[in-house]
Amino acid sequence: MGKEQLSRKEREKLRRKEDILWAAQKCFGDKGYHECTMEDIAKENECSVGSLYNFFSGKDHIYKEIFAWHGERMKEFAASFVIDTEDPVGCIGDYILKRLEYGMEHQGFLKMFIRNHNNDNFADESLWKESIWPAKVEMEKVLSEFFRLAVEKKIVRADLDIEMVISMIEHNIFRILDEYFHNFCPDKTREMSLEESRDFMMDVLFNGISCRDKNDK
Amino acid sequence: MGKEQLSRKEREKLRRKEDILWAAQKCFGDKGYHECTMEDIAKENECSVGSLYNFFSGKDHIYKEIFAWHGERMKEFAASFVIDTEDPVGCIGDYILKRLEYGMEHQGFLKMFIRNHNNDNFADESLWKESIWPAKVEMEKVLSEFFRLAVEKKIVRADLDIEMVISMIEHNIFRILDEYFHNFCPDKTREMSLEESRDFMMDVLFNGISCRDKNDK
DNA sequence: TTGAAATGTGAATGTCTGTTCATTATAATG
DNA sequence: CATTATAATGAACAGACATTCACATTTCAA
C-alpha cells in the first residue's frame, strides 16, 4: 500500500471515513442492517446525518465498505502466516488463536459477518462474493496447507475429508466467539480464556471424546 | 392436546391459520424479517394482505406464532426419546440424525432460528426466552443424559466439560444443515446423505483426527 | 484579517410498507 | 329464496426512515 503520496488533507479525510466505518460497524453489529438507522450511526460517530453523506453515497455503501475493509485485512492476515514444517499442529493452534483474537477485536464486524453468512440483510450476493469469499478462501488455504503437512507426517488421519474438517474448525471458531459475545445464559459464569477455549477445541478435535484403550488420556 | 372439542368451523379456522404460518415461515426463511413484506406473505398464501389481519394482529404476531409452534414441536421431540441404557452412543447418533431430519423438513424455520440466534430481526428477548429457550434446554437435557451414561460406562472421557461438547454438537448440526441449504460454492458437488454427514461428524467427534498409535483406525 | 473552499447541519421530501376499514363476496341458516 | 353472519379484499392512511439540500460553520492560504 503506497502511503506517502497522500496529503494531510487526504489523510484526514481517510481517517474521518474510517471513524464512520468504525461507528457504523458497531451499530450494524449491535442491531443488524435494518434496525440500524443512519441517525444511530451519526450519533455513534458524534456527527449529523448529513455528514455521513459527505463521505459515503448511502447506507449500503457504508455497509459494503466495512466488508471491503475487512476483506483486505483478512487477506493480509492469511498472507502473514509462515509455515513451520516441523510443527504443523502448532501452526494450526496458532492460526485458531489468532482468528479468535481478530474476532474479539472486531466484534461488530464479526456479528455482521455471521449475519451476512446467514443470508440476512439486503441479500447482495456480490458483496459476499467479492469482498469476503476470496479472503475466506485464502485463509482456508493456509489451514489446508498445515493439514496437508500434518497428514504427510502421519500426525493426522489420512482417511478424512480435510475440507470437512476445516469447515468444522471454522464453525467452531464462530461458536466460541458467539459464546463470548452473547450472554443468553448468564447463570453459567464460564470464564475461559481464548487460549483455553482453543485448547479445548483442539483436544476434542485431535483426540476425540472416546476413552482410550487402557484408561484415558 | 384436547382435540375433539373443536367445531368444524374452529378446525377450519385453525387450518387456515397454519397455512398462513407455513407461508410466512417460507418467506421469513428466505428473506429475513425485515425484507419480507406482508404482501410477500399474502402472495405466498394466495390471499390478500387484509386477510392476514383476520387471523393475526400483525407481522410480528405471525413471526412469534411460528416460534411458539416450533417451540411446542421441539418439546414433543425432546419428550419422544427413550433411553436405551445399553447403547448411549447409538442414542446420540439417533438424536443427531433426527435433529437433522427435522431441520430438513423445516428449512424456513431453521433459517429463522439461526438468524434469531444471531440476534437479528427485531431483537425481542422474550420471544427467544419464552418459546425456544425452554425447548432447547429440554433437548439438551436429553443429550446430557445420554452422555452421562456414556461417561458412566467409560465409553466417553470423564475429563471433559460435557456441556461444551454438547454445544459443539448443536453447532455442528447447524453447520451441516447450513451446508445443505446454502450453495455458496457450487463447484463442490458434495453429495452426502444426512446419515453420512452424521457418521462423519460422530467419527471425528469420538475418535478425533489424530492418527492412532500403530497405524490408523 | 479576509474570503473562498470545504465540511457540517438538520429540517424537508419522498418512498416504502405495516395497518385499517368501508365495501364486496361467500357461506350458513331457516 | 331471503336473511344474517363470517371472511376476503385492496385502496387509503400513517409512520418510519433514507436521502437531499439550502444554509451555517470551519479551515486555511494569502
Side-chain angles (χ1 to χ4, degrees):
Chain A
M1 288 211 279
K3 40 188 75 161
E4 292 316 313
Q5 42 265 72
L6 295 176
S7 69
R8 191 172 60 79
K9 264 287 165 69
E10 288 171 314
R11 267 180 289 129
E12 259 182 23
K13 180 149 189 165
L14 198 70
R15 221 178 49 74
R16 243 167 311 177
K17 271 188 80 163
E18 289 189 341
D19 281 350
I20 294 174
L21 288 182
W22 191 260
Q25 171 175 301
K26 174 160 170 41
C27 294
F28 285 139
D30 287 346
K31 303 203 188 184
Y33 184 76
H34 291 284
E35 292 266 298
C36 163
T37 68
M38 291 301 270
E39 215 173 303
D40 289 332
I41 298 173
K43 203 163 283 168
E44 179 69 34
N45 193 51
E46 293 174 83
C47 70
S48 70
V49 179
S51 293
L52 301 175
Y53 288 86
N54 289 330
F55 297 93
F56 300 95
S57 64
K59 189 178 176 183
D60 65 343
H61 185 205
I62 296 178
Y63 191 82
K64 285 177 188 172
E65 285 286 304
I66 293 172
F67 273 82
W69 193 86
H70 282 280
E72 290 308 312
R73 278 297 178 90
M74 283 159 69
K75 276 188 212 158
E76 290 168 24
F77 178 86
S80 74
F81 274 90
V82 187
I83 302 174
D84 174 0
T85 52
E86 288 313 304
D87 183 18
V89 176
C91 289
I92 292 168
D94 233 51
Y95 173 92
I96 293 171
L97 184 60
K98 287 206 177 115
R99 284 287 304 277
L100 290 174
E101 283 166 353
Y102 190 87
M104 290 302 282
E105 279 162 27
H106 302 274
Q107 292 197 20
F109 172 68
L110 212 97
K111 288 179 186 173
M112 291 170 66
F113 180 91
I114 292 175
R115 286 214 191 87
N116 206 84
H117 185 269
N118 292 320
N119 245 340
D120 216 357
N121 304 315
F122 62 138
D124 186 339
E125 281 284 314
S126 71
L127 170 64
W128 186 261
K129 290 227 175 97
E130 285 163 25
S131 320
I132 298 300
W133 184 255
K136 205 165 136 67
V137 169
E138 284 308 308
M139 295 204 302
E140 291 183 5
K141 264 191 205 155
V142 173
L143 258 193
S144 196
E145 180 59 17
F146 292 155
F147 271 106
R148 203 189 53 71
L149 268 169
V151 170
E152 202 174 284
K153 284 177 170 297
K154 298 209 193 290
I155 301 168
V156 165
R157 288 162 58 183
D159 65 321
L160 294 171
D161 178 344
I162 290 300
E163 280 194 36
M164 274 302 248
V165 174
I166 289 176
S167 164
M168 286 175 80
I169 291 177
E170 290 290 328
H171 276 77
N172 247 299
I173 288 171
F174 289 134
R175 178 188 65 77
I176 292 170
L177 289 168
D178 220 48
E179 283 174 10
Y180 275 94
F181 296 161
H182 291 320
N183 31 358
F184 283 132
C185 191
D187 51 307
K188 297 180 204 166
T189 30
R190 185 189 290 153
E191 285 295 330
M192 222 177 183
S193 70
L194 289 180
E195 281 88 352
E196 284 168 324
S197 294
R198 189 265 316 259
D199 292 343
F200 182 88
M201 166 178 163
M202 287 187 70
D203 179 14
V204 171
L205 182 70
F206 279 86
N207 303 319
I209 65 172
S210 294
C211 282
R212 283 292 192 270
D213 313 276
K214 316 273 172 180
N215 218 327
D216 65 316
K217 193 226 143 99
Chain B
M1 287 210 279
K3 39 188 76 158
E4 291 317 311
Q5 42 265 69
L6 296 177
S7 68
R8 189 173 61 78
K9 263 289 165 66
E10 289 170 315
R11 265 180 290 130
E12 259 183 22
K13 180 146 187 167
L14 198 69
R15 217 177 52 73
R16 245 168 309 176
K17 270 188 79 163
E18 287 189 343
D19 281 350
I20 294 173
L21 288 181
W22 191 261
Q25 172 175 301
K26 176 160 169 39
C27 294
F28 284 140
D30 286 346
K31 304 201 187 186
Y33 184 78
H34 291 283
E35 292 267 296
C36 163
T37 67
M38 291 301 269
E39 215 172 304
D40 290 331
I41 297 172
K43 204 164 280 167
E44 179 69 33
N45 193 52
E46 293 173 83
C47 70
S48 70
V49 178
S51 293
L52 301 175
Y53 286 86
N54 289 329
F55 298 92
F56 300 95
S57 65
K59 190 179 176 184
D60 65 342
H61 184 205
I62 297 178
Y63 191 83
K64 284 177 188 172
E65 285 287 302
I66 294 171
F67 273 82
W69 194 86
H70 282 280
E72 289 308 312
R73 278 296 178 89
M74 283 159 69
K75 274 188 211 158
E76 290 168 24
F77 178 87
S80 75
F81 275 90
V82 188
I83 301 175
D84 174 1
T85 51
E86 287 313 302
D87 184 17
V89 176
C91 288
I92 292 168
D94 234 51
Y95 173 94
I96 293 171
L97 184 60
K98 286 206 177 115
R99 283 287 304 278
L100 291 174
E101 283 167 352
Y102 189 87
M104 289 303 281
E105 279 162 26
H106 302 274
Q107 292 197 21
F109 172 67
L110 211 96
K111 288 180 187 172
M112 290 170 66
F113 180 90
I114 292 174
R115 286 214 192 86
N116 207 85
H117 185 269
N118 291 320
N119 246 340
D120 215 355
N121 304 316
F122 62 137
D124 186 339
E125 281 284 315
S126 71
L127 170 64
W128 187 261
K129 290 227 174 100
E130 285 164 24
S131 320
I132 298 300
W133 184 256
K136 206 164 135 67
V137 169
E138 284 308 308
M139 294 204 302
E140 290 183 4
K141 264 190 205 157
V142 173
L143 258 192
S144 195
E145 180 59 16
F146 293 154
F147 271 106
R148 203 188 53 72
L149 268 169
V151 170
E152 201 174 286
K153 283 177 170 296
K154 298 208 191 290
I155 300 168
V156 165
R157 287 161 59 183
D159 65 320
L160 294 171
D161 177 346
I162 291 301
E163 279 194 36
M164 275 300 250
V165 174
I166 289 175
S167 165
M168 286 175 80
I169 291 177
E170 290 290 329
H171 275 77
N172 248 298
I173 289 171
F174 290 134
R175 178 189 64 80
I176 292 171
L177 289 168
D178 220 48
E179 282 174 10
Y180 275 93
F181 297 161
H182 291 320
N183 31 359
F184 283 133
C185 189
D187 52 306
K188 296 180 206 170
T189 31
R190 185 190 289 154
E191 285 296 330
M192 224 177 181
S193 70
L194 289 180
E195 281 87 351
E196 285 170 324
S197 293
R198 189 263 319 255
D199 292 342
F200 182 87
M201 167 177 162
M202 287 187 70
D203 180 14
V204 170
L205 182 70
F206 279 84
N207 303 319
I209 66 172
S210 293
C211 281
R212 284 291 192 271
D213 313 276
K214 316 274 172 176
N215 217 324
D216 64 317
K217 193 224 144 97

